[in-house]
Amino acid sequence: MAARKGRWRTCETAEPMDAESRDAGSEGPPQVYLPGRGPPLREGEELVMDEEAYVLYHRAQTGAPCLSFDIVRDHLGDNRTELPLTLYLCAGTQAESAQSNRLMILRMHNLHGTRSPSSEDSDDEEEEDEEDEEERKPQLELAMVPHYGGINRVRVSWLGEEPVAAVWSEKGQVEVFALRRLLQVVDDPQAMAVFLRDEQARVKPIFTFAGHMGEGFALDWSSRVPGRLLTGDCQKNIHLWTPTDGGSWHVDQRPFVGHTRSVEDLQWSPTEDTVFASCSSDASIRIWDIRAAPGKACMLTTATAHDGDVNVISWSRREPFLLSGGDDGALKVWDLRQFKSGSPVATFKQHVAPVTSVEWHPQDSGVFAASGADNQITQWDLAVERDPETGDTEADPGLASLPQQLLFVHQGETDLKELHWHPQCPGVLVSTALSGFTVFRTISV
């Protein structure tokens, strides 16, 4: 079972730092540190964040860690680059006891950019800086509702003007929650007080499906047909949800048949209403068409897509490409026009542990990000080729072995589970880990 699916391990964690270099104190200048590609940290060495490599960097914690989250599209506009930023997340906890779990909306605001290293300041300038720091403090509002059982996966969609979240529970059922009220109260302190006093304990899902034979993780809303949903479980079954009049759903009890082990991830086609992709711990990736009967809907299969579990997939919105990540640590790009060949058009091996999340950049067709159980987040660009005349690797020969398309390695998190690009804030990545949420933008994307 891949690390992304496992429960949180109990451990004592110091406050981690983002790792771009290793500091050996007086022994020498800082060096770039990459897991699995050099000597391990020695006694006295620590990882130090290179703040100049980040345009934006913030962290947040919510008590119990969250295995999954989604970014809620908002009405603040697209292509937002002006700082400070505001963003909204929907997340679900994995608490130690079933009754301690929560589904929550997070409003993170006043997110300023990183600062350039400053020179020595006068006393007056230091006082001004202290006042400025107070004004620049990031803010977090939380609206939470009780949820019995840990939350394996959360995915948000808008049904017209109504935001909803589909939630996979470790208790083996999938629920849909209305989010409108939660989004209102994180913007309004008075409404929050009323919500906490009169409403919070009474919030229930608007729909529940208990027809899966056990728990699962795979979940995806169609971007083309509002309300159409796919859910896949650890018993190899995939079910199709069709919205009905009156704000409910009809769930087809006949599962799509093809996988022989747990269905790990699902992705609707961004260009065809009836086509979706799935991946499984049976090592395969499959392409389906729901116009066929569930027992005959599998149209294309790559039986051995990875050496072991295929944990995650992402379907590009701009190119006919599918991206996959597996327990083997590999990232693979599949051209769907050549999918029958069973061979990816690109394979990257930077992660040294199972890949836990992958996602294409929503605007830049060649860029994607991935996270792994090795506590790395990597950013990639398929269009990049190293210029042999620039001498990029002269300063550190160890970098010469890195893939040309690798743009950035972000470190310092503990037990990374999931990441998403913000669809309205170009280049902004959000991740969740045992160590909490991180919001950042690098100089590379």
Side-chain angles (χ1 to χ4, degrees), residues 373-420:
D374 53 4
N375 298 325
Q376 296 186 76
I377 291 177
T378 53
Q379 295 179 332
W380 304 78
D381 188 346
L382 298 179
V384 171
E385 292 184 10
R386 185 176 294 132
D387 185 346
E389 297 182 5
T390 61
D392 287 345
T393 60
E394 288 180 9
D396 193 332
L399 300 182
S401 64
L402 294 177
Q404 296 179 18
Q405 295 80 7
L406 180 62
L407 296 180
F408 199 96
V409 177
H410 169 88
Q411 299 171 70
E413 314 302 331
T414 302
D415 215 355
L416 276 161
K417 295 299 182 185
E418 197 169 280
L419 59 75
H420 297 292

Side-chain angles (χ1 to χ4, degrees), residues 139 162 164 193 223 274 291 297 311-312 348 410-411 442:
Q139 303 295 320
E162 295 300 320
V164 296
S223 62
T274 62
R291 289 173 294 184
N311 296 331
V312 283
F348 303 110
H410 169 88
Q411 299 171 70
T442 73

Side-chain angles (χ1 to χ4, degrees), residues 164-229:
V164 296
V167 173
W168 240 127
S169 168
E170 67 178 359
K171 297 303 178 184
Q173 58 192 24
V174 183
E175 303 144 315
V176 179
F177 285 83
L179 299 180
R180 175 178 289 276
R181 182 59 175 160
L182 298 180
L183 288 165
Q184 287 173 344
V185 303
V186 293
D187 281 333
D188 184 343
Q190 290 181 317
M192 177 70 84
V194 173
F195 173 77
L196 294 174
R197 186 184 69 232
D198 300 332
E199 304 168 33
Q200 182 182 43
R202 300 201 307 268
V203 174
K204 304 294 181 189
I206 58 175
F207 187 84
T208 300
F209 176 61
H212 283 281
M213 303 306 291
E215 71 173 319
F217 294 82
L219 188 68
D220 196 39
W221 292 102
S222 170
S223 62
R224 297 181 57 84
V225 182
R228 184 176 281 175
L229 178 69

Side-chain angles (χ1 to χ4, degrees), residues 262-273:
S262 173
V263 179
E264 302 295 87
D265 204 3
L266 292 161
Q267 285 275 283
W268 283 103
S269 165
T271 58
E272 297 181 74
D273 293 357

Side-chain angles (χ1 to χ4, degrees), residues 159 206-208 227 241-251:
L159 308 184
I206 58 175
F207 187 84
T208 300
W241 301 40
T242 303
T244 62
D245 294 337
S248 189
W249 282 265
H250 171 262
V251 185

Side-chain angles (χ1 to χ4, degrees), residues 127-160:
E127 285 182 18
E128 288 177 10
D129 284 347
E130 287 177 9
E131 292 175 7
D132 192 28
E133 283 301 321
E134 194 65 30
E135 292 178 0
R136 291 169 60 92
K137 278 187 177 178
Q139 303 295 320
L140 172 64
E141 268 72 53
L142 286 172
M144 300 186 287
V145 297
H147 185 274
Y148 185 75
I151 293 174
N152 294 345
R153 183 69 54 82
V154 176
R155 290 293 179 264
V156 173
S157 184
W158 284 83
L159 308 184

Side-chain angles (χ1 to χ4, degrees), residues 116-135:
S116 303
S118 56
S119 56
E120 293 184 13
D121 295 329
S122 67
D123 290 344
D124 289 344
E125 288 175 328
E126 284 183 6
E127 285 182 18
E128 288 177 10
D129 284 347
E130 287 177 9
E131 292 175 7
D132 192 28
E133 283 301 321
E134 194 65 30
E135 292 178 0

